[in-house]
Amino acid sequence: MLLLTLLLCFSPRALGQLEESQFGDDVDSELADFELDIAPRRVPRQVKTILSKETKPHIQELSIKTTIISRYAFTAVHCAMLNRHSAAAEGVFQFQIPAGAYVSNFTMIIGGRVYQSEVTPKAKRVKQDNGNARNKESGDASPEEVEVFRMAASIPGRNRAVFLLTYEELLQRRLGRYELVTSLRPLQLVSRLSLDVTVVDHSPITDLQVLPLRNGRSTNTANSPKTPAKPEPPVTTAVKIEKNVGRITFSPNIVQQAKITTNGILGDFVIRYDVQRDMGIGDIQVLNGHFVHYFAPKNLPVVPKNVVFVIDTSASMLGTKIRQTKDALFTILRDLRPGDRFNFISFSNRIKVWQPSRLVPVTPLNVRDAKKFIYTLMPTGGTNIDGAIRTGSTLLGDYLSSADASPNSVSLIIFLTDGRPTVGEIRSTAILGNTRSAVQEKFCVFTIGLGNDVDYRLLERMALENCGMMRRIHEDADASAMLKGFYDEIGTPLLSDIRINYTEDSVRYVTQHLFPNYFNGSEIVIAGKLSNNSAESLHVQVTASNNDKSIVLETDVPLRHRQTETEKHVKAATAAMAAGAKTPGSGVAQGLGVALSLIADDFVERLWGFLSVKDGLRSRLRSQTSREREDHIQQATNLSLTYGFLTPLTSLVVEKPEVLADGTMAPAPTTPPLAGDAVSTANELPDDAEDGKPQKSNGKPGSQTSSLSNTIGKVERRPAKKSITFSKTSADGDPHFVVEFPLSKLTVCFNINGEPGHILRLVSDHKYSGVTVNGKLIGAAAPPGSHKQQRTYFSTITIVVDQPRRAYIEVTPKKVILDGRDRMVLPCHSTVAVASGALSVSVAGKSNVTVTVGGNIVFVILLHQYKNPAPYQRDHLGFYIGNSKGLSHNCHGLLGQFLYEEVGLAELPAHGDTKPSSVLKVKQRSVPVVQKSRRIYSGTQSVDCWFARNNAAKLIDGEYEDYLTSHMFDTGDRPHGTNRV
């Protein structure tokens, strides 16, 4: 996604071949090749020796930039490698990402050529060894808290390679803290290493701390042993906090890295923090038709719990595992509260219940006896998972049915195993069915997998199907600390049976909003779409149980105020990232910050997409029928493709460079020249300034002044061969539609009074030329004295092309996403032109975007941006049709239906007191019209037109609702009425 922004930051030398003179014979000369950020004379001999003996490509730069906006984290990784030798060498890019994160883009630039990845639906049972991150497919992944993204590619002799990776995650709140973990394991000393993290939140940031570098698997989760009260952060770490904004940097030079370790495995850079939160309904943020709701109440009485511990004591637990498990259970026993009830079950071939047929209260005597039971546990025999979980479920279920059970307590099973089922029922589907039947939705099952030989898919499904969660513990981990940490997360329930509701018919596509439990120190996050953006407020109701009380929280959330507040802290994030980009560092590192700021505007929508995919994957695992499962898979796959997420349902495909036997790159494939020679009848556009700087926006699309060749050897600036022209047929402003009928020598105009969040079909020619254009409306307050309650503008224009292959272009006032043969993001403040397959895009910085499809279809999108907007002004887009020759005569949509029509004008004589009136004859319909004047091209020109009232009634086929689509990439055809009279 960050491709073009990053490419514009590269110097030609950074992308091209190395100069021959760079390769000297002496050590200091060779050090020049590494481009260290420290003088060679200050590099110790040991480090010089390590560098001189390197045979694999050297990492010249590793820059990692993370932006966290309201707990949603975007991370961009840039890795530049140098092959100092004359022969081609394999460069391996390897980076650990959190298991809960999704990769959203990967790009390679090798030998000056760009190799852009593409996210595609995953074929069934396809191996993931061609650059695919091992994103977990519930148990098929490694049993760690991270996933490893790995890509190997040949780097030509005396050349460089650049790897760009982005991923996104929602930070989870555990034990009262959010934790961001960034892996710093380049496996070698790096010439320039930098980490830059920006934290921006709606609420003030509290308790931010940077931990010492964590290495080893025993401490790779938030459940590790408690750190010292004031841990020392890694050397060179700088922390700056100003209320809602925090910035953390870490940039050790190569000598400082070597003092930590010479193998390049620095460890995990860990940041923990929390935010201030008010009592009540929680924090709700609104942005661009989407909302996110954070709910984390505090200072509530603890709810008593009924817990059954089911512990594997099979032979494989012998040694460290059983010892650490016992240590954790001894500690957990001390933390049980007087109001809790508990029991223990051990299982191997045989199943042993400590206190048959009951749960016992927490008393000194019972705790002492429980410790004796734990102490005597001896590993032996096989693993009867089915029998153990059914015994525990029956034990807990019978207790809940008895008179002793508290009606408002929280009940759960904590199930630990280190193996796969070997005794009794061993089929996973049967075990899961038996578990569901035994649990009967009366309590939750939390599962823990210990070691490498665990059926994690079984444990994850067992937990998800029974309202729990699964935790993985690596073979070499400190299992005692991690078990205790996991229990701490779920050991203090504050609420049960939580239901969060919103105003009916005001929201849609809401993520999970029913929760069985809320545990102290955690957080509930819900996101959704607003179906009525014109509404002043959103009513929110939270109902839950706490001990013996029922809790009801209600409030009305002022949507426009929340939208304004959310926009403020998005601007704060953008400003913080821009400030970071001004600090010394490579152009690429600075470009990472600029590129990340482009996606900040969409963080609520992307967070909604992220949570929706997670919900779909969980629902897939809980599905009881194949039809239900396929529906959830399709929904989650579509969302993954829409947002470019690499998930268990998608694959990341990237072409690898071809290196010849002599170590040089194979010739680049030729590409067609950029299109841009459309001709129309009005408004020729001026060329851009010769120095490459964009002219001040005059509302008219300027011709391209730079283009990025597919070989990316260097960025060339050259004037366009032809200026671009376009017609008056358009949808701009509030939105005002103008349709030019050249054959009839008439211009017609109309307004569409839509709702914010509505997506309008502007051009629909999917079946014929393969082109569809959709526009999304955004709302704004009406100016003082206006007869309207609100204004609406186009915030996003999407052009979808299905021939010869599917591709799309998405335009907002800040960026252009081109997803064709390549996928890239172009910032709208820069002037650049690119081509990908049948699509070409030319951006005139801060002015307009010209999109050409196949050479005979041209659309122009004007960029309306405000430096200091009034409350009724919003950055928005105007859509103009430049050349429609490639669209078929069957084209439809609000604008497309008129492209090949002829109209006539008739005068109706006066009747009685009425004055003569005009009627437009279109498609055998008579449409009353009046004469008006409209300003187009950002107000630079006026056009006289015949205006059709009432939302274009009778002028357009059917009604306004017929042109609404479900999402921005919808190409489906819908029936339109004829309005014949």
Side-chain angles (χ1 to χ4, degrees), residues 720-742:
K721 294 181 179 179
K722 294 187 178 182
S723 57
I724 302 172
T725 59
F726 63 108
S727 72
K728 304 169 188 173
T729 299
S730 59
D732 205 346
D734 186 16
H736 303 312
F737 287 73
V738 175
V739 180
E740 188 176 29
F741 295 91

PDB file of all heavy atoms in Angstrom, residues 720-742:
ATOM      1  N   ALA A 720       3.979  15.564 -19.978  1.00  0.00           N
ATOM      2  CA  ALA A 720       3.079  14.669 -20.699  1.00  0.00           C
ATOM      3  C   ALA A 720       3.081  15.031 -22.165  1.00  0.00           C
ATOM      4  O   ALA A 720       3.319  16.163 -22.552  1.00  0.00           O
ATOM      5  CB  ALA A 720       1.673  14.788 -20.131  1.00  0.00           C
ATOM      6  N   LYS A 721       2.796  14.038 -22.997  1.00  0.00           N
ATOM      7  CA  LYS A 721       2.806  14.282 -24.436  1.00  0.00           C
ATOM      8  C   LYS A 721       1.608  15.117 -24.870  1.00  0.00           C
ATOM      9  O   LYS A 721       1.676  15.878 -25.794  1.00  0.00           O
ATOM     10  CB  LYS A 721       2.818  12.945 -25.181  1.00  0.00           C
ATOM     11  CG  LYS A 721       4.091  12.145 -24.963  1.00  0.00           C
ATOM     12  CD  LYS A 721       4.059  10.838 -25.729  1.00  0.00           C
ATOM     13  CE  LYS A 721       5.346  10.051 -25.532  1.00  0.00           C
ATOM     14  NZ  LYS A 721       5.336   8.765 -26.251  1.00  0.00           N
ATOM     15  N   LYS A 722       0.477  14.926 -24.173  1.00  0.00           N
ATOM     16  CA  LYS A 722      -0.715  15.664 -24.536  1.00  0.00           C
ATOM     17  C   LYS A 722      -1.414  16.161 -23.289  1.00  0.00           C
ATOM     18  O   LYS A 722      -1.375  15.527 -22.256  1.00  0.00           O
ATOM     19  CB  LYS A 722      -1.694  14.788 -25.335  1.00  0.00           C
ATOM     20  CG  LYS A 722      -1.181  14.365 -26.695  1.00  0.00           C
ATOM     21  CD  LYS A 722      -2.269  13.650 -27.457  1.00  0.00           C
ATOM     22  CE  LYS A 722      -1.788  13.251 -28.848  1.00  0.00           C
ATOM     23  NZ  LYS A 722      -2.849  12.587 -29.618  1.00  0.00           N
ATOM     24  N   SER A 723      -2.062  17.313 -23.404  1.00  0.00           N
ATOM     25  CA  SER A 723      -2.890  17.757 -22.297  1.00  0.00           C
ATOM     26  C   SER A 723      -4.209  16.998 -22.339  1.00  0.00           C
ATOM     27  O   SER A 723      -4.612  16.482 -23.366  1.00  0.00           O
ATOM     28  CB  SER A 723      -3.146  19.261 -22.397  1.00  0.00           C
ATOM     29  OG  SER A 723      -3.749  19.565 -23.639  1.00  0.00           O
ATOM     30  N   ILE A 724      -4.875  16.945 -21.211  1.00  0.00           N
ATOM     31  CA  ILE A 724      -6.092  16.149 -21.088  1.00  0.00           C
ATOM     32  C   ILE A 724      -7.295  17.076 -21.090  1.00  0.00           C
ATOM     33  O   ILE A 724      -7.285  18.136 -20.485  1.00  0.00           O
ATOM     34  CB  ILE A 724      -6.071  15.315 -19.797  1.00  0.00           C
ATOM     35  CG1 ILE A 724      -4.832  14.417 -19.807  1.00  0.00           C
ATOM     36  CG2 ILE A 724      -7.321  14.507 -19.630  1.00  0.00           C
ATOM     37  CD1 ILE A 724      -4.620  13.703 -18.505  1.00  0.00           C
ATOM     38  N   THR A 725      -8.337  16.703 -21.774  1.00  0.00           N
ATOM     39  CA  THR A 725      -9.557  17.497 -21.830  1.00  0.00           C
ATOM     40  C   THR A 725     -10.722  16.656 -21.337  1.00  0.00           C
ATOM     41  O   THR A 725     -10.655  15.436 -21.339  1.00  0.00           O
ATOM     42  CB  THR A 725      -9.845  17.956 -23.277  1.00  0.00           C
ATOM     43  OG1 THR A 725      -9.967  16.796 -24.102  1.00  0.00           O
ATOM     44  CG2 THR A 725      -8.717  18.828 -23.809  1.00  0.00           C
ATOM     45  N   PHE A 726     -11.775  17.330 -20.916  1.00  0.00           N
ATOM     46  CA  PHE A 726     -12.927  16.583 -20.434  1.00  0.00           C
ATOM     47  C   PHE A 726     -14.187  17.424 -20.562  1.00  0.00           C
ATOM     48  O   PHE A 726     -14.148  18.633 -20.743  1.00  0.00           O
ATOM     49  CB  PHE A 726     -12.717  16.100 -18.993  1.00  0.00           C
ATOM     50  CG  PHE A 726     -12.575  17.185 -17.967  1.00  0.00           C
ATOM     51  CD1 PHE A 726     -13.587  17.432 -17.070  1.00  0.00           C
ATOM     52  CD2 PHE A 726     -11.410  17.931 -17.891  1.00  0.00           C
ATOM     53  CE1 PHE A 726     -13.444  18.418 -16.104  1.00  0.00           C
ATOM     54  CE2 PHE A 726     -11.275  18.901 -16.933  1.00  0.00           C
ATOM     55  CZ  PHE A 726     -12.291  19.157 -16.041  1.00  0.00           C
ATOM     56  N   SER A 727     -15.344  16.767 -20.429  1.00  0.00           N
ATOM     57  CA  SER A 727     -16.622  17.425 -20.693  1.00  0.00           C
ATOM     58  C   SER A 727     -17.254  17.922 -19.405  1.00  0.00           C
ATOM     59  O   SER A 727     -16.674  17.860 -18.330  1.00  0.00           O
ATOM     60  CB  SER A 727     -17.560  16.436 -21.381  1.00  0.00           C
ATOM     61  OG  SER A 727     -17.986  15.463 -20.441  1.00  0.00           O
ATOM     62  N   LYS A 728     -18.505  18.385 -19.522  1.00  0.00           N
ATOM     63  CA  LYS A 728     -19.225  18.923 -18.373  1.00  0.00           C
ATOM     64  C   LYS A 728     -19.984  17.851 -17.613  1.00  0.00           C
ATOM     65  O   LYS A 728     -20.473  18.105 -16.523  1.00  0.00           O
ATOM     66  CB  LYS A 728     -20.213  19.993 -18.846  1.00  0.00           C
ATOM     67  CG  LYS A 728     -19.572  21.124 -19.630  1.00  0.00           C
ATOM     68  CD  LYS A 728     -20.636  22.001 -20.285  1.00  0.00           C
ATOM     69  CE  LYS A 728     -19.995  23.019 -21.223  1.00  0.00           C
ATOM     70  NZ  LYS A 728     -21.012  23.760 -21.997  1.00  0.00           N
ATOM     71  N   THR A 729     -20.124  16.671 -18.179  1.00  0.00           N
ATOM     72  CA  THR A 729     -20.887  15.601 -17.515  1.00  0.00           C
ATOM     73  C   THR A 729     -20.176  15.226 -16.220  1.00  0.00           C
ATOM     74  O   THR A 729     -19.059  14.709 -16.237  1.00  0.00           O
ATOM     75  CB  THR A 729     -21.022  14.386 -18.437  1.00  0.00           C
ATOM     76  OG1 THR A 729     -21.729  14.777 -19.622  1.00  0.00           O
ATOM     77  CG2 THR A 729     -21.788  13.267 -17.752  1.00  0.00           C
ATOM     78  N   SER A 730     -20.845  15.473 -15.098  1.00  0.00           N
ATOM     79  CA  SER A 730     -20.128  15.401 -13.833  1.00  0.00           C
ATOM     80  C   SER A 730     -21.082  15.274 -12.655  1.00  0.00           C
ATOM     81  O   SER A 730     -22.293  15.465 -12.763  1.00  0.00           O
ATOM     82  CB  SER A 730     -19.283  16.674 -13.651  1.00  0.00           C
ATOM     83  OG  SER A 730     -20.116  17.826 -13.677  1.00  0.00           O
ATOM     84  N   ALA A 731     -20.479  14.947 -11.502  1.00  0.00           N
ATOM     85  CA  ALA A 731     -21.155  14.971 -10.200  1.00  0.00           C
ATOM     86  C   ALA A 731     -20.180  15.619  -9.240  1.00  0.00           C
ATOM     87  O   ALA A 731     -19.146  15.041  -8.911  1.00  0.00           O
ATOM     88  CB  ALA A 731     -21.518  13.563  -9.752  1.00  0.00           C
ATOM     89  N   ASP A 732     -20.491  16.813  -8.786  1.00  0.00           N
ATOM     90  CA  ASP A 732     -19.550  17.580  -7.984  1.00  0.00           C
ATOM     91  C   ASP A 732     -20.319  18.330  -6.900  1.00  0.00           C
ATOM     92  O   ASP A 732     -21.554  18.433  -6.950  1.00  0.00           O
ATOM     93  CB  ASP A 732     -18.775  18.552  -8.883  1.00  0.00           C
ATOM     94  CG  ASP A 732     -17.420  18.950  -8.312  1.00  0.00           C
ATOM     95  OD1 ASP A 732     -17.192  18.700  -7.128  1.00  0.00           O
ATOM     96  OD2 ASP A 732     -16.599  19.507  -9.070  1.00  0.00           O
ATOM     97  N   GLY A 733     -19.611  18.830  -5.948  1.00  0.00           N
ATOM     98  CA  GLY A 733     -20.268  19.640  -4.923  1.00  0.00           C
ATOM     99  C   GLY A 733     -21.165  18.837  -4.011  1.00  0.00           C
ATOM    100  O   GLY A 733     -20.771  17.795  -3.500  1.00  0.00           O
ATOM    101  N   ASP A 734     -22.416  19.247  -3.892  1.00  0.00           N
ATOM    102  CA  ASP A 734     -23.282  18.856  -2.777  1.00  0.00           C
ATOM    103  C   ASP A 734     -24.243  17.693  -2.948  1.00  0.00           C
ATOM    104  O   ASP A 734     -25.212  17.642  -2.180  1.00  0.00           O
ATOM    105  CB  ASP A 734     -24.037  20.103  -2.334  1.00  0.00           C
ATOM    106  CG  ASP A 734     -24.874  19.857  -1.080  1.00  0.00           C
ATOM    107  OD1 ASP A 734     -24.629  18.852  -0.414  1.00  0.00           O
ATOM    108  OD2 ASP A 734     -25.749  20.635  -0.793  1.00  0.00           O
ATOM    109  N   PRO A 735     -24.226  16.681  -3.757  1.00  0.00           N
ATOM    110  CA  PRO A 735     -23.537  16.731  -5.051  1.00  0.00           C
ATOM    111  C   PRO A 735     -24.505  17.251  -6.120  1.00  0.00           C
ATOM    112  O   PRO A 735     -25.683  16.920  -6.126  1.00  0.00           O
ATOM    113  CB  PRO A 735     -23.164  15.270  -5.287  1.00  0.00           C
ATOM    114  CG  PRO A 735     -24.223  14.496  -4.576  1.00  0.00           C
ATOM    115  CD  PRO A 735     -24.680  15.338  -3.430  1.00  0.00           C
ATOM    116  N   HIS A 736     -23.978  18.086  -7.001  1.00  0.00           N
ATOM    117  CA  HIS A 736     -24.726  18.617  -8.129  1.00  0.00           C
ATOM    118  C   HIS A 736     -24.329  17.846  -9.384  1.00  0.00           C
ATOM    119  O   HIS A 736     -23.149  17.732  -9.693  1.00  0.00           O
ATOM    120  CB  HIS A 736     -24.423  20.106  -8.331  1.00  0.00           C
ATOM    121  CG  HIS A 736     -24.712  20.936  -7.131  1.00  0.00           C
ATOM    122  ND1 HIS A 736     -25.878  20.857  -6.417  1.00  0.00           N
ATOM    123  CD2 HIS A 736     -23.958  21.879  -6.500  1.00  0.00           C
ATOM    124  CE1 HIS A 736     -25.864  21.716  -5.411  1.00  0.00           C
ATOM    125  NE2 HIS A 736     -24.704  22.336  -5.434  1.00  0.00           N
ATOM    126  N   PHE A 737     -25.323  17.311 -10.078  1.00  0.00           N
ATOM    127  CA  PHE A 737     -25.073  16.520 -11.285  1.00  0.00           C
ATOM    128  C   PHE A 737     -25.319  17.389 -12.522  1.00  0.00           C
ATOM    129  O   PHE A 737     -26.312  18.125 -12.591  1.00  0.00           O
ATOM    130  CB  PHE A 737     -25.995  15.302 -11.324  1.00  0.00           C
ATOM    131  CG  PHE A 737     -25.621  14.219 -10.344  1.00  0.00           C
ATOM    132  CD1 PHE A 737     -25.835  14.386  -8.989  1.00  0.00           C
ATOM    133  CD2 PHE A 737     -25.046  13.038 -10.784  1.00  0.00           C
ATOM    134  CE1 PHE A 737     -25.491  13.398  -8.088  1.00  0.00           C
ATOM    135  CE2 PHE A 737     -24.695  12.047  -9.883  1.00  0.00           C
ATOM    136  CZ  PHE A 737     -24.914  12.226  -8.527  1.00  0.00           C
ATOM    137  N   VAL A 738     -24.412  17.272 -13.486  1.00  0.00           N
ATOM    138  CA  VAL A 738     -24.543  17.961 -14.773  1.00  0.00           C
ATOM    139  C   VAL A 738     -24.380  16.920 -15.869  1.00  0.00           C
ATOM    140  O   VAL A 738     -23.434  16.109 -15.824  1.00  0.00           O
ATOM    141  CB  VAL A 738     -23.486  19.074 -14.929  1.00  0.00           C
ATOM    142  CG1 VAL A 738     -23.571  19.689 -16.323  1.00  0.00           C
ATOM    143  CG2 VAL A 738     -23.668  20.139 -13.855  1.00  0.00           C
ATOM    144  N   VAL A 739     -25.314  16.916 -16.838  1.00  0.00           N
ATOM    145  CA  VAL A 739     -25.248  15.980 -17.958  1.00  0.00           C
ATOM    146  C   VAL A 739     -25.289  16.778 -19.250  1.00  0.00           C
ATOM    147  O   VAL A 739     -26.218  17.555 -19.484  1.00  0.00           O
ATOM    148  CB  VAL A 739     -26.413  14.976 -17.928  1.00  0.00           C
ATOM    149  CG1 VAL A 739     -26.313  14.027 -19.115  1.00  0.00           C
ATOM    150  CG2 VAL A 739     -26.436  14.210 -16.619  1.00  0.00           C
ATOM    151  N   GLU A 740     -24.265  16.559 -20.066  1.00  0.00           N
ATOM    152  CA  GLU A 740     -24.179  17.250 -21.352  1.00  0.00           C
ATOM    153  C   GLU A 740     -24.675  16.320 -22.451  1.00  0.00           C
ATOM    154  O   GLU A 740     -24.248  15.166 -22.539  1.00  0.00           O
ATOM    155  CB  GLU A 740     -22.727  17.654 -21.604  1.00  0.00           C
ATOM    156  CG  GLU A 740     -22.536  18.552 -22.812  1.00  0.00           C
ATOM    157  CD  GLU A 740     -21.089  18.996 -22.950  1.00  0.00           C
ATOM    158  OE1 GLU A 740     -20.194  18.252 -22.524  1.00  0.00           O
ATOM    159  OE2 GLU A 740     -20.874  20.085 -23.495  1.00  0.00           O
ATOM    160  N   PHE A 741     -25.619  16.815 -23.287  1.00  0.00           N
ATOM    161  CA  PHE A 741     -26.142  16.063 -24.429  1.00  0.00           C
ATOM    162  C   PHE A 741     -25.667  16.754 -25.709  1.00  0.00           C
ATOM    163  O   PHE A 741     -26.350  17.637 -26.245  1.00  0.00           O
ATOM    164  CB  PHE A 741     -27.672  16.033 -24.403  1.00  0.00           C
ATOM    165  CG  PHE A 741     -28.250  15.292 -23.221  1.00  0.00           C
ATOM    166  CD1 PHE A 741     -28.553  15.978 -22.046  1.00  0.00           C
ATOM    167  CD2 PHE A 741     -28.497  13.934 -23.281  1.00  0.00           C
ATOM    168  CE1 PHE A 741     -29.089  15.320 -20.962  1.00  0.00           C
ATOM    169  CE2 PHE A 741     -29.027  13.259 -22.190  1.00  0.00           C
ATOM    170  CZ  PHE A 741     -29.318  13.953 -21.023  1.00  0.00           C
ATOM    171  N   PRO A 742     -24.481  16.381 -26.222  1.00  0.00           N
ATOM    172  CA  PRO A 742     -23.924  17.105 -27.380  1.00  0.00           C
ATOM    173  C   PRO A 742     -24.817  17.049 -28.610  1.00  0.00           C
ATOM    174  O   PRO A 742     -24.938  18.042 -29.335  1.00  0.00           O
ATOM    175  CB  PRO A 742     -22.594  16.387 -27.624  1.00  0.00           C
ATOM    176  CG  PRO A 742     -22.266  15.712 -26.335  1.00  0.00           C
ATOM    177  CD  PRO A 742     -23.573  15.343 -25.735  1.00  0.00           C
TER     178      PRO A 742
END
